[in-house]
Amino acid sequence: MAESKNKTKIKDLIEKIKSIKHIEIIIGVIAVALMIIIFAGVGGKSVSSEENDVKESVSEEQQSVSVSELEGKLAAVLSDIEGVGKSSVLITAKSSGEKITANTVTTNTSTSQSGSGNVTSTTSSTESPIIVNNSGKSEPYVVKELMPEILGVIVVAEGADNAVTRLAIMRAVQAVLQVSASCVEIYPMK
């Protein structure tokens, strides 16, 4: 008997919902509001909680992409250009390259209430890099590598006395290092 009453109530409710004009718009607005609440993190956090979030671009470690590596690679590439011959490169940089690592952020929130009714909330966060195993070595997971900020480049090459070769060297240096022509000097090798 109770089942048939429940079925009747459900059918009546469905009929009432169907009779509402523009129900699709109302349902859509409610769905969007729920998504905003969920993605904004407003809904459902407990008073004392522990969260693990992966944050990108938080820890910037001053490592690698060294200027000497860039010099060696650029000199090797320039030497392969027709007419250049042997070459050497000197790069001056304002800073060294950076590796940006992914980090795990742990947030602890605790709330206490005093006898007089005052509520005190304390939040603490700790960050630690995400460690991956790379060829038997444990190292931080690198999200992005940033090139060092280049101030100037000097190229000394055997074929630099030829104008066409100088132009090829200039264009190659500009393409690789993303610097303007005013930052690049090219000299013939003795």
Side-chain angles (χ1 to χ4, degrees):
M1 193 76 148
E3 264 184 57
S4 65
K5 283 184 181 182
N6 285 339
K7 286 183 181 180
T8 307
K9 286 182 181 181
I10 292 173
K11 285 181 182 180
D12 289 342
L13 180 63
I14 291 172
E15 289 302 318
K16 285 181 183 180
I17 291 174
K18 285 182 179 178
S19 67
I20 297 174
K21 289 183 179 180
H22 307 293
I23 188 67
E24 299 88 9
I25 295 172
I26 294 170
I27 291 173
V29 169
I30 291 171
V32 169
L34 286 174
M35 283 191 271
I36 290 172
I37 290 171
I38 290 170
F39 288 121
V42 175
K45 288 197 178 180
S46 62
V47 173
S48 179
S49 66
E50 235 183 71
E51 301 172 3
N52 286 326
D53 298 325
V54 175
K55 269 192 168 180
E56 293 183 6
S57 307
V58 172
S59 172
E60 297 181 1
E61 296 181 5
Q62 296 285 342
Q63 293 179 347
S64 281
V65 189
S66 69
V67 174
S68 60
E69 274 184 39
L70 285 173
E71 290 172 343
K73 288 180 179 180
L74 186 56
V77 168
L78 292 176
S79 295
D80 290 340
I81 296 174
E82 185 177 340
V84 174
K86 202 165 52 166
S87 67
S88 63
V89 176
L90 173 66
I91 299 174
T92 57
K94 186 174 185 178
S95 63
S96 64
E98 296 178 29
K99 286 187 177 182
I100 299 174
T101 61
N103 291 318
T104 300
V105 179
T106 305
T107 304
N108 294 318
T109 304
S110 60
T111 304
S112 61
Q113 188 170 4
S114 66
S116 62
N118 293 334
V119 177
T120 306
S121 180
T122 307
T123 303
S124 64
S125 295
T126 56
E127 269 185 47
S128 58
I130 295 175
I131 305 296
V132 293
N133 190 0
N134 187 9
S135 302
K137 287 190 332 186
S138 293
E139 51 190 40
Y141 177 72
V142 177
V143 177
K144 185 184 343 179
E145 287 190 44
L146 300 177
M147 292 282 291
E149 186 179 341
I150 306 296
L151 297 175
V153 182
I154 296 177
V155 177
V156 180
E158 287 179 340
D161 47 359
N162 181 325
V164 174
T165 305
R166 287 174 63 91
L167 180 61
I169 293 170
M170 177 67 74
R171 293 183 70 198
V173 170
Q174 286 180 295
V176 170
L177 300 177
Q178 298 295 304
V179 295
S180 66
S182 63
C183 297
V184 181
E185 291 294 327
I186 302 169
Y187 300 101
M189 192 176 275
K190 47 177 172 165

